[in-house]
Every structure is written in structure tokens, then in C-alpha cells.
Amino acid sequence: MRLAAKIISEKLVQGNHFGQRVGYGAEFEQYRHYEIGDDLKRLDWKLFARSGKYLIKESPIESNLHVKLILDLSGSMNYEEDQISRVSYAKVLLASIAYLAFKQGDSLSLYFLVDGKVKQVTSAGSKGFQMILYNLETAKARGAWQVRKGSFPELKSRERELVIMASDFLQSESEWTDIVKSMVHPKKQLWLFQILGAQEMEMNLKGNRRFIDLESGESVHADAGQLVKTYNQKMKEYLDDLDHNLNLPKVELIRVKMQESIVQLLNRVLNQNSIN
């Protein structure tokens, strides 16, 4: 897992990182109004002499934030397509992000969603990187996620952090959207990686097939050709509905096909997003 994460991360364009915040540094970026508690040394006294305004100089500095990794380990994560396992894809994706954050000096923690419960695997800190890799490598997806709405205080911190969640976000009712909505906070930014197979997103199968529910184990035989139109319509409706429900402040839903290179995916995401 460490080797995969290292190779992927080192293939990324140099300079990619999780973002910057504005603070006190050497390079001037912008002004903002003085607030109680600000260091008076940061006031622009020359500007005050000219304008009478109390303005603070700010500059961009590298952020040291908490990166919270969350992996869905419900049974549907065992789905495979083109010899690619969804849970393996998710593990390597999170390991690669953990490697980037570790090299940047950010604090890391890892959580599993399994058997209807939230399991904190590692505590927040910059020294748990090896434990994160070990637990990702040995984790097994199994069982079903509870449909009923649950309360998960472990995910409801109010600290500044980047939350990265890997799941298929396939739900019977609103179980996954409820969890996401419970985590939304002005100080937090959420990147939700919805990992799907190409056939899941738009089925074009033909012939008699056996379809298996990876969470309940139930199966059914059917003519795939007769199901294509209805399935594709319902899947499109579901994905559109998910887009609508997760169109929330500081929440980014990133839909990715398992066939996409993780290097290309991370390049795309890091170039399009920054942490404020």
C-alpha cells in the first residue's frame, strides 16, 4: 500500500497540495479590517496615516490542516468491474491522499464505516501514517449499512479540517446523504469520492445474467437487455438527485469511474480545488 501510494503521489504534478490559507507571512497578499486580538505589529501604519483606516496585511502561507479520511466498508464496496475492485480502488486513493498529506506535514486520522457503525481507526496526528496504511491494507468490506438515520458524534467535529470520504454512495433511502449533511460546518471542507463502475453508471449488458446484491447476498436471474432502459433511467435519476441533495456549502461530490487512473483523478481534483 505504501509503495502504491508513493508511486501515485510522485507522479502528480509538483506543487500540487491541499491548498493555502491567508495569514501572516513575508509576501503581501491583501488587506483586511483590524479585529480585536490581532497583533498590532501587522497593522499598516503608513496606510493608517494616510487614510485613518486600521487594516491588517495578509499573505499566503501553507496550510497545516487536519485531513480526516473516511472509508465506506459496506458490502457493496466489493463490487468488481474489468478486474478492478471498488474497495481496492478506494484504499489506494485514500492511501495516496494520506501520503500527500503526510509529506505536507498535515495531521491525519482514519475512520471506517462498517456494520452500521463509525469506527475510528487512528487518532489525529502526523505520526499515524504507517498505521493508516496498515489498516487500509487489511480492511475488509462486508455487510449492509443501516437504512435508519443514525447519530455519529465522531464525525461531527467543529474544527478546521478537510474530510475525504470514499464510497459508492448507493443508498436505499437517504442514509449516506444524512451522514454528509451531519458533517457540514463552515470550518470544514468535504470531498466526497463516489466510486462507480462504467456498467453501474450506464449499463449496456446483454443476455441472461445473474445479478447479486453484495450486501444481502440475494440474487436474481434476468435478461439484461430487457433491463437496460429502465436501469439506466433510474440510475440517471438517482445520480441527479444525489447531485441535488449534496449541493451544499463546502461540499464537493467527485464522481469517478473505477477505470480512471488515480493519478489523473488526483491531478484533476487538486487543480480544481483548494482549501480556504
Side-chain angles (χ1 to χ4, degrees):
M1 188 66 71
R2 181 185 176 90
L3 179 60
K6 186 174 186 292
I7 291 172
I8 289 172
S9 299
E10 290 183 351
K11 284 185 178 180
L12 293 173
V13 177
Q14 282 192 342
N16 266 338
H17 51 80
F18 293 116
Q20 291 185 330
R21 62 181 174 87
V22 175
Y24 183 44
E27 181 183 354
F28 173 71
E29 175 73 9
Q30 64 183 23
Y31 285 110
R32 68 169 172 81
H33 289 287
Y34 170 80
E35 296 177 359
I36 296 175
D38 284 333
D39 187 349
L40 293 177
K41 294 179 181 178
R42 294 171 59 192
L43 279 172
D44 190 326
W45 292 105
K46 291 182 179 179
L47 183 63
F48 170 74
R50 296 195 305 269
S51 66
K53 295 180 180 179
Y54 294 93
L55 295 175
I56 296 288
K57 285 183 176 181
E58 290 190 326
S59 62
I61 61 174
E62 187 175 322
S63 66
N64 288 313
L65 71 155
H66 180 113
V67 179
K68 179 181 287 184
L69 306 172
I70 304 175
L71 176 61
D72 171 13
L73 285 177
S74 57
S76 62
M77 293 294 287
N78 287 318
Y79 176 76
E80 294 186 11
E81 194 172 296
D82 296 334
Q83 298 182 322
I84 302 169
S85 160
R86 177 164 30 233
V87 71
S88 295
Y89 188 101
K91 287 179 179 184
V92 176
L93 172 62
L94 292 183
S96 302
I97 292 172
Y99 187 86
L100 285 172
F102 172 71
K103 296 292 286 185
Q104 188 170 293
D106 292 324
S107 173
L108 286 160
S109 62
L110 176 64
Y111 293 75
F112 290 157
L113 304 180
V114 59
D115 292 331
K117 300 176 182 177
V118 174
K119 178 182 178 183
Q120 182 171 357
V121 182
T122 66
S123 300
S126 58
K127 298 182 179 180
F129 175 62
Q130 296 294 346
M131 285 300 298
I132 286 175
L133 294 185
Y134 171 78
N135 281 282
L136 283 173
E137 192 161 12
T138 56
K140 304 292 183 184
R142 63 182 186 272
W145 186 258
Q146 60 187 14
V147 174
R148 69 184 185 279
K149 187 173 182 178
S151 177
F152 304 106
E154 305 94 328
L155 302 179
K156 297 179 182 178
S157 69
R158 295 296 180 259
E159 301 299 322
R160 180 178 179 272
E161 61 186 13
L162 170 62
V163 178
I164 297 177
M165 183 172 174
S167 172
D168 53 24
F169 290 99
L170 298 176
Q171 55 190 2
S172 298
E173 295 181 8
S174 61
E175 52 267 29
W176 292 122
T177 53
D178 287 342
I179 288 177
V180 172
K181 289 178 180 179
S182 74
M183 290 191 289
V184 173
H185 188 270
K187 290 184 179 180
K188 298 166 71 170
Q189 193 149 354
L190 279 68
W191 292 357
L192 311 175
F193 287 91
Q194 184 181 26
I195 305 167
L196 299 171
Q199 289 291 342
E200 284 183 302
M201 295 177 69
E202 187 174 4
M203 187 170 69
N204 61 7
L205 300 174
K206 296 180 180 179
N208 191 42
R209 301 273 181 165
R210 181 177 177 228
F211 296 90
I212 304 172
D213 185 330
L214 293 172
E215 297 193 357
S216 69
E218 296 179 2
S219 65
V220 61
H221 285 85
D223 184 339
Q226 295 180 355
L227 299 176
V228 167
K229 184 177 180 179
T230 301
Y231 172 87
N232 288 338
Q233 180 181 344
K234 288 186 177 295
M235 177 56 80
K236 183 180 184 306
E237 291 173 355
Y238 173 73
L239 295 179
D240 288 345
D241 188 58
L242 191 68
D243 289 339
H244 173 74
N245 288 324
L246 294 182
N247 184 20
L248 302 167
K250 292 199 166 187
V251 175
E252 181 79 15
L253 177 61
I254 303 156
R255 187 164 294 131
V256 54
K257 292 181 181 179
M258 289 155 49
Q259 290 81 358
E260 181 177 359
S261 158
I262 292 178
V263 174
Q264 293 176 343
L265 169 63
L266 288 177
N267 250 327
R268 172 164 60 89
V269 172
L270 292 173
N271 285 329
Q272 291 176 353
N273 294 275
S274 64
I275 307 306
N276 300 312

